[in-house]
Amino acid sequence: RSLSGRVMDDALWDEVRQYYESGVVQKYQYSIQEEERKEARRYEDVYRIFREFGILFRDEVREKTAAELYQGRKDYQAVFYREYGMSEGEQDYWEKQGEAIETPMVYEYSEGWRAFLSRDAYMIGMLVIFLTAICVTGIFTKEHRRKTDQLILCTRFGRKELYFAKICSGSLFSVICGFLFLGLSVLCNVLIYGPDGFGAPIQQAIAQHGLPL
């Protein structure tokens, strides 16, 4: 939080590099004194962001300037263009979107939202998929197991209305569970880390994101 509002330029990056090269982190990161542990983590989040921008540089991140790391983030995006098999037109579209991202960025403490975006949202998606596969399939298999499905299909509203209602109820169940998980995740992260940083650039949480959000 004390670093919020600082421009992520060469001045801040040099400050971070000198701090890590001073040995303070290695000295105090496992200290039993809370103040010393806080001191060891002073630049941790800023360093993480710069390191993710320069992920393609691997161990040479500290040797690069801030401008080179911002360019490294764009090169990192290009890797995803190839992985997703994007056409030249699609790549041009995303590159134009990327030009609207302001650099150098202004750092904002946003640990709660970063944890939600980079970790919880993915896990919630997986949970909803499993929950749907386990719970919703029972809507139809139960009728088949009881051998009442053919009887239902012969009734006046069995072939269309009833099965449509079953599909709607199953979908609604999945959607409600998804929103409950999302709400619980946001609440927990806000309570633990605070609501700060909702207006921070999304690239500080997901480096390869291509939109100026």
Side-chain angles (χ1 to χ4, degrees), residues 176-203:
I176 290 173
C177 287
F179 277 108
L180 284 174
F181 287 146
L182 287 171
L184 185 61
S185 171
V186 169
L187 179 63
C188 289
N189 281 313
V190 167
L191 289 175
I192 294 170
Y193 301 110
D196 315 52
F198 187 74
I202 197 171
Q203 287 74 24

Side-chain angles (χ1 to χ4, degrees), residues 81 89-101 210 212:
Y81 298 159
E90 290 170 328
Q91 292 184 36
D92 290 340
Y93 169 81
W94 285 106
E95 285 175 2
K96 288 179 181 178
Q97 292 293 322
E99 289 173 3
I101 299 173

Side-chain angles (χ1 to χ4, degrees), residues 28-44:
Y28 292 131
Q29 62 180 336
Y30 300 116
S31 172
I32 60 173
Q33 300 295 327
E34 184 177 354
E35 289 302 319
E36 291 180 348
R37 288 200 306 274
K38 284 183 178 179
E39 177 66 19
R41 299 183 62 186
R42 183 194 299 180
Y43 294 101
E44 184 179 65

Side-chain angles (χ1 to χ4, degrees), residues 3-47:
L3 294 172
S4 289
R6 293 280 303 273
V7 179
M8 295 177 62
D9 54 8
D10 280 319
L12 180 58
W13 179 228
D14 289 340
E15 198 174 310
V16 173
R17 283 190 298 187
Q18 291 172 13
Y19 183 80
Y20 273 83
E21 290 168 2
S22 68
V24 174
V25 176
Q26 293 82 351
K27 183 178 180 181
Y28 292 131
Q29 62 180 336
Y30 300 116
S31 172
I32 60 173
Q33 300 295 327
E34 184 177 354
E35 289 302 319
E36 291 180 348
R37 288 200 306 274
K38 284 183 178 179
E39 177 66 19
R41 299 183 62 186
R42 183 194 299 180
Y43 294 101
E44 184 179 65
D45 200 38
V46 177
Y47 183 62

